């Protein structure tokens, strides 16, 4: 229903620690696609996974190119299938996670643009129910968990070997693949301040609505709870997160 308040709200947001070298989503151009620059997407077959982050990257790539969905031939495919289609030349461009792009990259596909360049945020969001946030006891417990989550994300960034071992144990990845996965998935906690919420509004909600990904306009501030900002800010300062993240990112840079 229009005007209905969302039942859950984001209470903590995280962004990629190094989206320059490890972008969460990329747009690839096929080896023989004839695409050399963004404007060359016009009239091309562009694959993405519907309803996923890759669809947002697809829309933002078109926006960056000064194009609309009407200017290309959209192809909706599962991410892995889409990457295979790009490798085989069945589509000309593809938006998706680099982790799913192996077949395309092996076939000579190249990065056309990334989330860093399109403005996609690559957010991770911790959410809580609106009802729990209104309950004093539960609110206090969630606040404590949010603070612990900030500390966890810092551990995940600064302890790549231990983080990689989790991927080995849980996902049965090889040690080399586990380390690269752990590094690529590092996320930095952020205060839900006005600047970040404005970026989410303009680069996510507004683009998703104008591109038909969602059916009605959304006021992003209805979907986030800023009552824990003081706790997040205190933890970021107390743990010296910025300096430690900068050092960890520099040490892991390829």
């Amino acid at each position: 229903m229009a005007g209905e308040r969302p039942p859950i709200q984001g209470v903590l947001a995280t962004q990629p620690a190094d989206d320059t070298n490890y972008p969460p989503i990329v747009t690839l151009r096929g080896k023989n696609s004839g695409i050399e620059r963004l404007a060359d997407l016009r009239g091309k077959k562009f694959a993405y996974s519907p309803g996923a982050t890759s669809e947002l990257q697809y829309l933002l790539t078109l926006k960056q190119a000064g194009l609309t969905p009407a200017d290309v031939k959209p192809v909706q495919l599962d991410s892995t299938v889409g990457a295979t289609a790009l490798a085989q030349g069945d589509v000309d461009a593809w938006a998706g996670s680099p982790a799913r792009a192996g077949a395309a990259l092996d076939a000579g596909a190249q990065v056309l643009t990334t989330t860093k360049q399109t403005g996609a945020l690559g957010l991770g969001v911790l959410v809580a129910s609106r009802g729990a946030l209104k309950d004093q006891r539960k609110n206090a417990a969630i606040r404590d968990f949010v603070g612990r989550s900030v500390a966890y994300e810092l551990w995940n960034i600064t302890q790549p070997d231990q983080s990689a071992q989790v991927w080995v144990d849980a996902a049965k990845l090889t040690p080399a693949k586990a380390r690269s996965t752990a590094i690529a998935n590092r996320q930095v906690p952020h205060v839900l301040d006005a600047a970040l919420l404005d970026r989410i509004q303009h680069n996510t909600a507004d683009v998703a609505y104008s591109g038909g990904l969602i059916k009605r306009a959304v006021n992003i501030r209805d979907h986030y709870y800023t009552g824990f900002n003081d706790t997040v800010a205190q933890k970021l300062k107390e743990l010296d997160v910025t300096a430690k993240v900068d050092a960890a990112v520099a040490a892991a840079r390829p």
Side-chain angles (χ1 to χ4, degrees), residues 26-166:
V26 297
T27 300
L28 301 182
R29 58 186 174 95
K31 182 179 181 180
N32 299 313
S33 64
I35 299 171
E36 297 295 333
R37 55 196 180 93
L38 285 164
D40 295 333
L41 285 166
R42 185 182 296 275
K44 300 295 186 179
K45 294 180 180 179
F46 195 156
Y48 63 90
S49 179
T53 309
S54 65
E55 184 170 3
L56 183 62
Q57 173 70 2
Y58 156 77
L59 293 170
L60 285 165
T61 298
L62 294 179
K63 182 179 179 181
Q64 186 186 8
L67 303 174
T68 71
D71 296 315
V72 297
K73 299 174 182 175
V75 181
Q76 296 185 352
L77 294 171
D78 170 80
S79 288
T80 302
V81 175
T84 301
L86 185 65
Q88 296 174 345
D90 295 329
V91 298
D92 304 300
W94 170 86
S97 166
R100 302 288 186 91
L105 294 171
D106 290 344
Q110 295 181 321
V111 174
L112 181 64
T113 190
T114 72
T115 48
K116 177 77 170 182
Q117 296 156 320
T118 62
L121 301 181
L123 283 180
V125 181
L126 178 66
V127 302
S129 74
R130 190 180 290 272
L133 291 169
K134 289 181 178 179
D135 181 285
Q136 185 175 0
R137 181 178 61 82
K138 291 180 179 178
N139 186 288
I142 296 169
R143 179 185 291 275
D144 177 70
F145 184 70
V146 165
R148 292 173 186 271
S149 295
V150 174
Y152 161 74
E153 295 294 355
L154 179 62
W155 172 87
N156 196 46
I157 292 169
T158 58
Q159 304 296 326
D161 292 334
Q162 294 180 52
S163 181
Q165 189 59 47
V166 175

Side-chain angles (χ1 to χ4, degrees), residues 48-53 55-56 59 204 207-215:
Y48 63 90
S49 179
T53 309
E55 184 170 3
L56 183 62
L59 293 170
T204 302
V207 171
Y209 175 61
S210 63
L213 180 54
I214 56 178
K215 301 304 180 184

